[in-house]
Amino acid sequence: MSLIYSEITSRKNDKIIWASKLTDKKNRDKEGVFFTEGAKLLEEALLAKLKINKLFFTQKALEQYESLLSDATAEENYLVTDEVYEKLTDETAPQGIFACIKKPVLEFFSESNLKDGGFIILEDIQNPLNLGAILRCAYSLGGTKLILSKSCADIYGPKTLRSSMGSAFKARFYICDSIVDFIEAQKKFGNNVYCTHLHSDSLLLGTFEFKPGDSIVIGNEGHGVSGDVAGVCTHSVIIPMTKDAESLNAATASSVLIWEMNKSKLIP
């Protein structure tokens, strides 16, 4: 099926101005739309069955990716000049595909999901590259249920999406009003919640086994887990490290913890 599209040659076109404003989270929230660039993220969005609102592409991209662009079945398709595309992109070597995608409706976990536990809880992860790396790691290592605090970086921000390499479309997540309340609810189900926190009673990672239903909390890059959250967790844990080594950043620490949490399910 041939791709039907309109052509845009002006950087002042209303559609281009609208799409370029999606770099601002406020506009993404207002429109219920986010954007991705490149073939890889468009492919991942289609695999996740997300709905494509608008597609902007260059002549070179059309020649190279016409089948993919057709498969996207976007509501609106636009062939743009290279000069116009420059207004949309912030990449140094763009592939010439700019997709505007409708945000999926986030539904809270079912009661059975909550009882099963096994959550990765992110408190105030503010660096989008860290958030994207954690999402990628979580999906790769079997941590597909995530809870994010409202102060986390935008999961639909361009840096987060690029860093996640499409994992943001695969993981199940929810943005939570109160991390403390969520942890308390997990405890009522009989699930343990561990946090990365240095304390005199902290457990050394590797000296105990995570049980099915256990969850972990990863805290802010600079300040770690807040006192309120640490206070309601059932256990705190530290990662054994070489003496005098710098602490691991949030994304690296997450990969170690998520592996330890899920290794029994990953090793045949």
Side-chain angles (χ1 to χ4, degrees):
M1 183 176 69
S2 61
L3 182 64
I4 299 174
Y5 55 84
S6 301
E7 296 187 27
I8 295 177
T9 58
S10 171
R11 292 164 64 99
K12 296 181 180 180
N13 180 280
D14 289 344
K15 304 288 186 182
I16 298 300
I17 293 172
W18 177 87
S20 66
K21 289 181 178 179
L22 294 178
T23 54
D24 189 326
K25 182 180 183 300
K26 289 182 180 179
N27 288 322
R28 292 195 295 270
D29 291 343
K30 176 185 175 183
E31 300 294 339
V33 173
F34 65 95
F35 74 90
T36 66
E37 281 202 70
K40 168 65 175 175
L41 286 178
L42 177 57
E43 287 173 348
E44 294 292 346
L46 296 180
L47 287 172
K49 301 187 183 305
L50 297 181
K51 295 180 179 179
I52 313 303
N53 173 245
K54 295 178 179 63
L55 263 182
F56 300 89
F57 45 86
T58 61
Q59 181 63 42
K60 182 178 179 181
L62 177 60
E63 293 169 2
Q64 188 171 358
Y65 300 106
E66 183 173 6
S67 178
L68 172 62
L69 297 172
S70 296
D71 289 345
T73 60
E75 294 175 3
E76 302 173 32
N77 294 297
Y78 297 101
L79 174 67
V80 302
T81 64
D82 291 344
E83 182 185 16
V84 170
Y85 194 84
E86 287 175 0
K87 185 173 178 64
L88 297 175
T89 187
D90 64 353
E91 296 189 1
T92 54
Q95 290 181 314
I97 298 175
F98 189 99
C100 303
I101 304 172
K102 292 183 178 181
K103 287 186 179 182
V105 177
L106 299 182
E107 296 182 356
F108 195 53
F109 294 92
S110 67
E111 186 171 353
S112 61
N113 284 148
L114 294 171
K115 285 182 178 179
D116 288 342
F119 289 92
I120 298 164
I121 303 168
L122 307 180
E123 184 191 21
D124 301 352
I125 300 296
Q126 296 182 340
N127 185 319
L129 299 180
N130 278 339
L131 179 56
I134 292 171
L135 293 169
R136 185 178 180 182
C137 169
Y139 184 77
S140 299
L141 298 179
T144 56
K145 297 194 302 186
L146 296 101
I147 293 291
L148 282 68
S149 70
K150 284 188 170 181
S151 296
C152 283
D154 183 14
I155 205 166
Y156 294 117
K159 291 181 179 179
T160 304
L161 293 175
R162 282 199 293 264
S163 180
S164 80
M165 291 297 289
S167 294
F169 304 143
K170 300 172 183 176
R172 176 87 187 278
F173 68 91
Y174 190 82
I175 300 169
C176 188
D177 289 330
S178 172
I179 296 296
V180 169
D181 289 348
F182 183 83
I183 293 171
E184 292 285 20
Q186 281 297 293
K187 289 161 61 178
K188 288 179 181 178
F189 286 126
N191 297 324
N192 291 317
V193 181
Y194 294 81
C195 66
T196 50
H197 187 64
L198 182 59
H199 189 271
S200 59
D201 296 330
S202 294
L203 301 173
L204 197 63
L205 191 68
T207 63
F208 66 95
E209 294 290 332
F210 284 99
K211 298 177 182 178
D214 289 350
S215 296
I216 57 172
V217 183
I218 310 297
N220 174 266
E221 294 92 340
H223 307 292
V225 176
S226 68
D228 288 343
V229 168
V232 296
C233 287
T234 50
H235 305 283
S236 61
V237 60
I238 56 175
I239 300 172
M241 295 173 56
T242 302
K243 186 179 180 180
D244 298 329
E246 290 291 331
S247 60
L248 300 175
N249 74 9
T252 305
S254 296
S255 65
V256 175
L257 289 159
I258 296 169
W259 160 253
E260 194 69 26
M261 180 181 174
N262 291 306
K263 65 181 181 181
S264 62
K265 295 184 290 186
L266 297 169
I267 299 175

